[in-house]
Amino acid sequence: MNVLIVYAHPQPRSLNGALRDFTVQHLQAAGHHVQVSDLYAMQWKTTIDEHDAPQRDPSEPFHASLDSMKAYQSGTQSPDIAREQEKLRWADTVIFQFPLWWFSMPAILKGWVDRVYAYGFAYGVGEHSDTHWGDRYGEGSLSGKRAMLVVTTGGWESHYSARGINGPIDDVLFPIQHGMLFYPGFDVLPPFVAYRTSRVDGATFETMTRALGARLDSLATTAPIPYRRQNHGDYDIPALTLKNGIADGKTGFAAHIA
Ligand code: FAD
């Protein structure tokens, strides 16, 4: 299997760095091909701007979405963006690894998504009409591929439990897992979350890597989160609300899981 790890932590000698090294070694030992996009080491450009579409008409106002489409379609994207898209095409599975910072991903990784997910590549794909609102949420250019988050948190597992003060971890990660991964077509595997990181020592690290290793061994067989697919009958189109009779009585993120 080809596995791409998109990794965001500024310090190689960190818990994240150790988990990343473990993941690479574990996957390679199992015979998988691995590429790592180490965003800090690559000095990844975080912000999307006119330099991402070098051939654009400079007399026109920069439009993040349309200019990304024109650059993508004409093959004139910034080379760093094109390289990451090529890695995504190559990968069967993509692991996104990062520390939870302010209930989300570090800005450098968000900037990777903003820039690599060009219009025409990750969105704006497929027929757009009143009966088919694009190939997305379960369909799209990245369908057939699997994705998994590997996340570390300072907060305890109980803080992220169903009644925990931070909100359930599945809710905290929903915009990433549903909005950034399921949207362009990935099958999204349940996340691997390492909680309470300030208490990690040699013994907990060993327990953690044993659990992570088991998740890596089952990347191809783990059942994805059963998010409802947009174009498979659960939603009224173009309103894109759940139909009567689907998840009745449920609202919010949980209603979009079958
Ligand atoms: P490190 O600090 O590198 O390490 C953590 C512990 O692991 C240390 O005790 C270290 O000694 C030990 N360790 C490291 N490597 C090894 C090894 N090889 N073997 C054994 N032990 C090892 N947390 C939340 O829950 N929610 C938030 O919203 C949130 N927001 C944050 C925002 C910011 C800007 C920052 C800086 C932190 C935030 N945090 C939050 C905390 C953050 O998620 C954790 O600090 C982070 O996940 C820890 O990962 P790390 O790789 O940086 O760990």
Short mmCIF file of all heavy atoms in Angstrom, two decimals, residues 118-165:
data_model
loop_
_atom_site.label_atom_id
_atom_site.label_comp_id
_atom_site.label_asym_id
_atom_site.label_seq_id
_atom_site.Cartn_x
_atom_site.Cartn_y
_atom_site.Cartn_z
N ALA A 118 -7.26 22.45 -4.55
CA ALA A 118 -7.68 23.44 -5.57
C ALA A 118 -9.08 23.13 -6.09
O ALA A 118 -9.53 21.98 -6.08
CB ALA A 118 -6.69 23.41 -6.72
N TYR A 119 -9.72 24.17 -6.55
CA TYR A 119 -11.03 24.07 -7.23
C TYR A 119 -10.81 23.23 -8.50
O TYR A 119 -9.97 23.55 -9.33
CB TYR A 119 -11.50 25.48 -7.58
CG TYR A 119 -12.89 25.63 -8.18
CD1 TYR A 119 -13.48 26.89 -8.20
CD2 TYR A 119 -13.59 24.58 -8.73
CE1 TYR A 119 -14.74 27.08 -8.75
CE2 TYR A 119 -14.85 24.75 -9.28
CZ TYR A 119 -15.42 26.00 -9.30
OH TYR A 119 -16.65 26.17 -9.84
N GLY A 120 -11.58 22.16 -8.64
CA GLY A 120 -11.38 21.27 -9.79
C GLY A 120 -10.60 20.03 -9.40
O GLY A 120 -10.67 19.00 -10.05
N PHE A 121 -9.81 20.17 -8.33
CA PHE A 121 -9.08 19.01 -7.81
C PHE A 121 -9.85 18.37 -6.67
O PHE A 121 -10.19 17.20 -6.71
CB PHE A 121 -7.67 19.42 -7.36
CG PHE A 121 -6.90 18.28 -6.73
CD1 PHE A 121 -6.42 17.24 -7.52
CD2 PHE A 121 -6.67 18.24 -5.36
CE1 PHE A 121 -5.72 16.18 -6.95
CE2 PHE A 121 -5.98 17.18 -4.78
CZ PHE A 121 -5.50 16.15 -5.57
N ALA A 122 -10.14 19.16 -5.63
CA ALA A 122 -10.79 18.58 -4.44
C ALA A 122 -12.23 19.03 -4.27
O ALA A 122 -12.97 18.45 -3.49
CB ALA A 122 -9.99 18.95 -3.18
N TYR A 123 -12.61 20.07 -4.97
CA TYR A 123 -14.02 20.51 -4.93
C TYR A 123 -14.39 21.09 -6.29
O TYR A 123 -13.51 21.30 -7.14
CB TYR A 123 -14.27 21.50 -3.79
CG TYR A 123 -13.60 22.86 -3.94
CD1 TYR A 123 -14.34 23.98 -4.33
CD2 TYR A 123 -12.26 23.02 -3.68
CE1 TYR A 123 -13.74 25.22 -4.46
CE2 TYR A 123 -11.65 24.26 -3.80
CZ TYR A 123 -12.39 25.36 -4.19
OH TYR A 123 -11.79 26.59 -4.33
N GLY A 124 -15.71 21.31 -6.46
CA GLY A 124 -16.15 21.76 -7.78
C GLY A 124 -16.02 20.63 -8.79
O GLY A 124 -15.79 20.86 -9.98
N VAL A 125 -16.15 19.39 -8.31
CA VAL A 125 -15.97 18.21 -9.16
C VAL A 125 -17.33 17.59 -9.46
O VAL A 125 -18.19 17.52 -8.58
CB VAL A 125 -15.08 17.17 -8.42
CG1 VAL A 125 -14.92 15.91 -9.25
CG2 VAL A 125 -13.72 17.77 -8.08
N GLY A 126 -17.54 17.15 -10.69
CA GLY A 126 -18.79 16.46 -11.04
C GLY A 126 -19.88 17.43 -11.46
O GLY A 126 -19.72 18.65 -11.45
N GLU A 127 -21.02 16.83 -11.84
CA GLU A 127 -22.16 17.63 -12.31
C GLU A 127 -22.71 18.49 -11.17
O GLU A 127 -22.87 18.02 -10.05
CB GLU A 127 -23.27 16.66 -12.78
CG GLU A 127 -24.56 17.33 -13.18
CD GLU A 127 -25.72 16.32 -13.27
OE1 GLU A 127 -25.48 15.13 -13.53
OE2 GLU A 127 -26.88 16.75 -13.05
N HIS A 128 -22.95 19.75 -11.47
CA HIS A 128 -23.60 20.64 -10.51
C HIS A 128 -24.93 21.08 -11.09
O HIS A 128 -24.97 21.85 -12.05
CB HIS A 128 -22.72 21.85 -10.18
CG HIS A 128 -21.70 21.55 -9.13
ND1 HIS A 128 -20.56 20.82 -9.40
CD2 HIS A 128 -21.65 21.85 -7.81
CE1 HIS A 128 -19.86 20.70 -8.29
NE2 HIS A 128 -20.49 21.30 -7.31
N SER A 129 -26.04 20.56 -10.54
CA SER A 129 -27.37 20.91 -11.03
C SER A 129 -28.32 20.86 -9.83
O SER A 129 -27.90 20.55 -8.71
CB SER A 129 -27.81 19.91 -12.10
OG SER A 129 -28.02 18.63 -11.50
N ASP A 130 -29.59 21.11 -10.08
CA ASP A 130 -30.56 21.05 -8.98
C ASP A 130 -30.81 19.61 -8.53
O ASP A 130 -31.46 19.38 -7.51
CB ASP A 130 -31.88 21.70 -9.40
CG ASP A 130 -31.81 23.21 -9.20
OD1 ASP A 130 -30.75 23.68 -8.70
OD2 ASP A 130 -32.78 23.91 -9.55
N THR A 131 -30.32 18.64 -9.30
CA THR A 131 -30.53 17.24 -8.90
C THR A 131 -29.24 16.54 -8.50
O THR A 131 -29.26 15.44 -7.96
CB THR A 131 -31.18 16.43 -10.05
OG1 THR A 131 -30.37 16.59 -11.21
CG2 THR A 131 -32.60 16.92 -10.33
N HIS A 132 -28.11 17.17 -8.76
CA HIS A 132 -26.81 16.55 -8.40
C HIS A 132 -25.85 17.66 -8.01
O HIS A 132 -25.37 18.40 -8.86
CB HIS A 132 -26.25 15.75 -9.59
CG HIS A 132 -25.05 14.92 -9.24
ND1 HIS A 132 -25.11 13.57 -8.95
CD2 HIS A 132 -23.74 15.27 -9.09
CE1 HIS A 132 -23.89 13.13 -8.66
NE2 HIS A 132 -23.05 14.15 -8.74
N TRP A 133 -25.63 17.77 -6.71
CA TRP A 133 -24.88 18.92 -6.19
C TRP A 133 -23.39 18.61 -6.13
O TRP A 133 -22.76 18.70 -5.09
CB TRP A 133 -25.44 19.28 -4.81
CG TRP A 133 -25.26 20.71 -4.45
CD1 TRP A 133 -24.33 21.22 -3.57
CD2 TRP A 133 -26.01 21.83 -4.92
NE1 TRP A 133 -24.45 22.58 -3.48
CE2 TRP A 133 -25.47 22.98 -4.30
CE3 TRP A 133 -27.08 21.97 -5.82
CZ2 TRP A 133 -25.97 24.25 -4.54
CZ3 TRP A 133 -27.57 23.24 -6.05
CH2 TRP A 133 -27.01 24.36 -5.41
N GLY A 134 -22.84 18.18 -7.26
CA GLY A 134 -21.41 17.88 -7.30
C GLY A 134 -21.09 16.51 -6.73
O GLY A 134 -21.90 15.90 -6.05
N ASP A 135 -19.89 16.04 -7.08
CA ASP A 135 -19.39 14.78 -6.51
C ASP A 135 -18.65 15.14 -5.23
O ASP A 135 -17.48 15.56 -5.28
CB ASP A 135 -18.44 14.08 -7.49
CG ASP A 135 -19.15 13.62 -8.74
OD1 ASP A 135 -20.40 13.59 -8.74
OD2 ASP A 135 -18.45 13.30 -9.71
N ARG A 136 -19.29 14.97 -4.10
CA ARG A 136 -18.66 15.33 -2.83
C ARG A 136 -19.36 14.58 -1.71
O ARG A 136 -20.36 13.92 -1.95
CB ARG A 136 -18.72 16.85 -2.59
CG ARG A 136 -20.11 17.42 -2.77
CD ARG A 136 -20.20 18.88 -2.43
NE ARG A 136 -21.47 19.13 -1.77
CZ ARG A 136 -21.78 20.24 -1.12
NH1 ARG A 136 -20.91 21.21 -1.03
NH2 ARG A 136 -22.95 20.38 -0.55
N TYR A 137 -18.82 14.68 -0.50
CA TYR A 137 -19.34 13.92 0.64
C TYR A 137 -19.53 12.46 0.26
O TYR A 137 -20.64 11.97 0.12
CB TYR A 137 -20.64 14.53 1.16
CG TYR A 137 -20.46 15.84 1.87
CD1 TYR A 137 -21.11 16.99 1.44
CD2 TYR A 137 -19.63 15.95 2.98
CE1 TYR A 137 -20.93 18.20 2.08
CE2 TYR A 137 -19.43 17.15 3.63
CZ TYR A 137 -20.09 18.27 3.18
OH TYR A 137 -19.91 19.47 3.82
N GLY A 138 -18.40 11.78 0.12
CA GLY A 138 -18.46 10.36 -0.20
C GLY A 138 -18.14 10.06 -1.65
O GLY A 138 -17.94 8.90 -2.01
N GLU A 139 -18.09 11.10 -2.49
CA GLU A 139 -17.67 10.94 -3.88
C GLU A 139 -16.69 12.07 -4.17
O GLU A 139 -16.63 13.03 -3.43
CB GLU A 139 -18.87 11.05 -4.83
CG GLU A 139 -19.85 9.91 -4.69
CD GLU A 139 -21.14 10.17 -5.46
OE1 GLU A 139 -21.63 11.30 -5.43
OE2 GLU A 139 -21.62 9.23 -6.08
N GLY A 140 -15.97 11.94 -5.27
CA GLY A 140 -15.04 13.01 -5.61
C GLY A 140 -13.69 12.45 -6.00
O GLY A 140 -13.50 11.24 -6.08
N SER A 141 -12.74 13.36 -6.22
CA SER A 141 -11.47 12.94 -6.80
C SER A 141 -10.65 12.05 -5.87
O SER A 141 -9.75 11.35 -6.33
CB SER A 141 -10.66 14.18 -7.20
OG SER A 141 -10.60 15.07 -6.11
N LEU A 142 -10.92 12.07 -4.58
CA LEU A 142 -10.12 11.26 -3.66
C LEU A 142 -10.87 10.00 -3.22
O LEU A 142 -10.46 9.33 -2.27
CB LEU A 142 -9.67 12.11 -2.46
CG LEU A 142 -8.81 13.32 -2.89
CD1 LEU A 142 -8.47 14.21 -1.71
CD2 LEU A 142 -7.53 12.88 -3.58
N SER A 143 -11.97 9.69 -3.90
CA SER A 143 -12.72 8.49 -3.50
C SER A 143 -11.91 7.24 -3.83
O SER A 143 -11.09 7.23 -4.75
CB SER A 143 -14.10 8.46 -4.14
OG SER A 143 -13.97 8.42 -5.52
N GLY A 144 -12.12 6.22 -3.02
CA GLY A 144 -11.34 4.99 -3.15
C GLY A 144 -10.11 5.02 -2.26
O GLY A 144 -9.44 4.00 -2.08
N LYS A 145 -9.79 6.18 -1.70
CA LYS A 145 -8.64 6.30 -0.80
C LYS A 145 -9.14 6.37 0.64
O LYS A 145 -10.27 6.78 0.88
CB LYS A 145 -7.84 7.56 -1.12
CG LYS A 145 -7.29 7.60 -2.54
CD LYS A 145 -6.57 8.91 -2.82
CE LYS A 145 -6.18 9.03 -4.28
NZ LYS A 145 -5.13 8.09 -4.68
N ARG A 146 -8.27 5.99 1.55
CA ARG A 146 -8.62 6.04 2.97
C ARG A 146 -7.82 7.14 3.65
O ARG A 146 -6.70 7.46 3.23
CB ARG A 146 -8.30 4.70 3.64
CG ARG A 146 -9.04 3.57 2.98
CD ARG A 146 -8.84 2.23 3.69
NE ARG A 146 -10.14 1.57 3.66
CZ ARG A 146 -10.67 0.89 4.64
NH1 ARG A 146 -10.01 0.70 5.77
NH2 ARG A 146 -11.87 0.37 4.54
N ALA A 147 -8.39 7.71 4.70
CA ALA A 147 -7.68 8.74 5.46
C ALA A 147 -7.89 8.50 6.94
O ALA A 147 -8.94 7.98 7.36
CB ALA A 147 -8.18 10.13 5.09
N MET A 148 -6.88 8.84 7.72
CA MET A 148 -7.00 8.69 9.18
C MET A 148 -6.24 9.83 9.87
O MET A 148 -5.14 10.19 9.43
CB MET A 148 -6.42 7.35 9.63
CG MET A 148 -6.50 7.13 11.13
SD MET A 148 -6.01 5.45 11.63
CE MET A 148 -4.27 5.66 11.92
N LEU A 149 -6.83 10.37 10.90
CA LEU A 149 -6.14 11.37 11.72
C LEU A 149 -5.37 10.67 12.84
O LEU A 149 -5.89 9.74 13.47
CB LEU A 149 -7.14 12.34 12.35
CG LEU A 149 -8.05 13.14 11.42
CD1 LEU A 149 -8.88 14.14 12.25
CD2 LEU A 149 -7.26 13.87 10.34
N VAL A 150 -4.16 11.15 13.09
CA VAL A 150 -3.41 10.79 14.30
C VAL A 150 -3.20 12.11 15.04
O VAL A 150 -2.51 13.00 14.55
CB VAL A 150 -2.07 10.11 13.96
CG1 VAL A 150 -1.24 9.90 15.21
CG2 VAL A 150 -2.31 8.77 13.24
N VAL A 151 -3.86 12.23 16.19
CA VAL A 151 -3.93 13.52 16.87
C VAL A 151 -3.47 13.35 18.32
O VAL A 151 -3.81 12.36 18.97
CB VAL A 151 -5.40 14.04 16.88
CG1 VAL A 151 -5.48 15.42 17.51
CG2 VAL A 151 -5.97 14.07 15.48
N THR A 152 -2.71 14.32 18.81
CA THR A 152 -2.35 14.33 20.23
C THR A 152 -3.05 15.52 20.89
O THR A 152 -3.22 16.57 20.28
CB THR A 152 -0.83 14.46 20.42
OG1 THR A 152 -0.38 15.71 19.86
CG2 THR A 152 -0.08 13.32 19.76
N THR A 153 -3.47 15.32 22.13
CA THR A 153 -4.16 16.41 22.84
C THR A 153 -3.57 16.57 24.25
O THR A 153 -3.17 15.58 24.87
CB THR A 153 -5.67 16.14 23.01
OG1 THR A 153 -5.86 15.15 24.04
CG2 THR A 153 -6.31 15.66 21.73
N GLY A 154 -3.57 17.81 24.72
CA GLY A 154 -3.23 18.04 26.12
C GLY A 154 -4.35 17.58 27.03
O GLY A 154 -4.13 17.08 28.12
N GLY A 155 -5.60 17.75 26.57
CA GLY A 155 -6.76 17.39 27.37
C GLY A 155 -6.87 15.89 27.61
O GLY A 155 -6.32 15.09 26.85
N TRP A 156 -7.56 15.54 28.69
CA TRP A 156 -7.75 14.13 29.04
C TRP A 156 -8.84 13.52 28.16
O TRP A 156 -9.69 14.23 27.61
CB TRP A 156 -8.19 13.99 30.49
CG TRP A 156 -7.29 14.56 31.51
CD1 TRP A 156 -6.23 15.39 31.33
CD2 TRP A 156 -7.41 14.35 32.92
NE1 TRP A 156 -5.68 15.72 32.54
CE2 TRP A 156 -6.38 15.09 33.53
CE3 TRP A 156 -8.30 13.60 33.72
CZ2 TRP A 156 -6.22 15.10 34.91
CZ3 TRP A 156 -8.13 13.61 35.08
CH2 TRP A 156 -7.09 14.35 35.68
N GLU A 157 -8.88 12.18 28.14
CA GLU A 157 -9.94 11.51 27.36
C GLU A 157 -11.31 11.90 27.90
O GLU A 157 -12.24 12.13 27.12
CB GLU A 157 -9.74 9.99 27.42
CG GLU A 157 -10.69 9.24 26.51
CD GLU A 157 -10.27 7.80 26.26
OE1 GLU A 157 -9.29 7.34 26.89
OE2 GLU A 157 -10.95 7.14 25.44
N SER A 158 -11.43 12.03 29.23
CA SER A 158 -12.75 12.38 29.80
C SER A 158 -13.19 13.78 29.38
O SER A 158 -14.38 14.05 29.23
CB SER A 158 -12.71 12.28 31.34
OG SER A 158 -11.77 13.21 31.86
N HIS A 159 -12.23 14.68 29.18
CA HIS A 159 -12.57 16.05 28.75
C HIS A 159 -13.22 16.04 27.37
O HIS A 159 -13.92 16.99 26.99
CB HIS A 159 -11.32 16.95 28.69
CG HIS A 159 -10.55 17.02 29.97
ND1 HIS A 159 -9.34 17.67 30.08
CD2 HIS A 159 -10.81 16.52 31.21
CE1 HIS A 159 -8.87 17.57 31.32
NE2 HIS A 159 -9.75 16.87 32.03
N TYR A 160 -12.92 14.97 26.60
CA TYR A 160 -13.45 14.86 25.23
C TYR A 160 -14.50 13.75 25.12
O TYR A 160 -14.77 13.26 24.03
CB TYR A 160 -12.30 14.57 24.24
CG TYR A 160 -11.38 15.75 24.05
CD1 TYR A 160 -10.19 15.85 24.75
CD2 TYR A 160 -11.73 16.79 23.20
CE1 TYR A 160 -9.34 16.94 24.59
CE2 TYR A 160 -10.89 17.89 23.03
CZ TYR A 160 -9.70 17.96 23.74
OH TYR A 160 -8.89 19.05 23.58
N SER A 161 -15.06 13.35 26.27
CA SER A 161 -16.07 12.30 26.26
C SER A 161 -17.45 12.91 25.95
O SER A 161 -17.58 14.14 25.78
CB SER A 161 -16.11 11.59 27.62
OG SER A 161 -16.51 12.51 28.61
N ALA A 162 -18.47 12.09 25.89
CA ALA A 162 -19.81 12.53 25.45
C ALA A 162 -20.30 13.74 26.24
O ALA A 162 -20.97 14.62 25.69
CB ALA A 162 -20.79 11.38 25.57
N ARG A 163 -19.98 13.81 27.54
CA ARG A 163 -20.43 14.95 28.36
C ARG A 163 -19.24 15.77 28.86
O ARG A 163 -19.38 16.57 29.79
CB ARG A 163 -21.29 14.43 29.53
CG ARG A 163 -22.68 13.99 29.05
CD ARG A 163 -23.41 13.14 30.06
NE ARG A 163 -23.60 13.77 31.36
CZ ARG A 163 -24.57 14.64 31.65
NH1 ARG A 163 -25.44 14.99 30.72
NH2 ARG A 163 -24.69 15.14 32.86
N GLY A 164 -18.10 15.59 28.23
CA GLY A 164 -16.90 16.33 28.65
C GLY A 164 -16.95 17.79 28.23
O GLY A 164 -17.59 18.14 27.23
N ILE A 165 -16.23 18.61 28.98
CA ILE A 165 -16.33 20.07 28.79
C ILE A 165 -15.82 20.53 27.42
O ILE A 165 -16.29 21.55 26.89
CB ILE A 165 -15.60 20.81 29.93
CG1 ILE A 165 -15.93 22.30 29.89
CG2 ILE A 165 -14.08 20.58 29.86
CD1 ILE A 165 -15.61 23.04 31.16
#
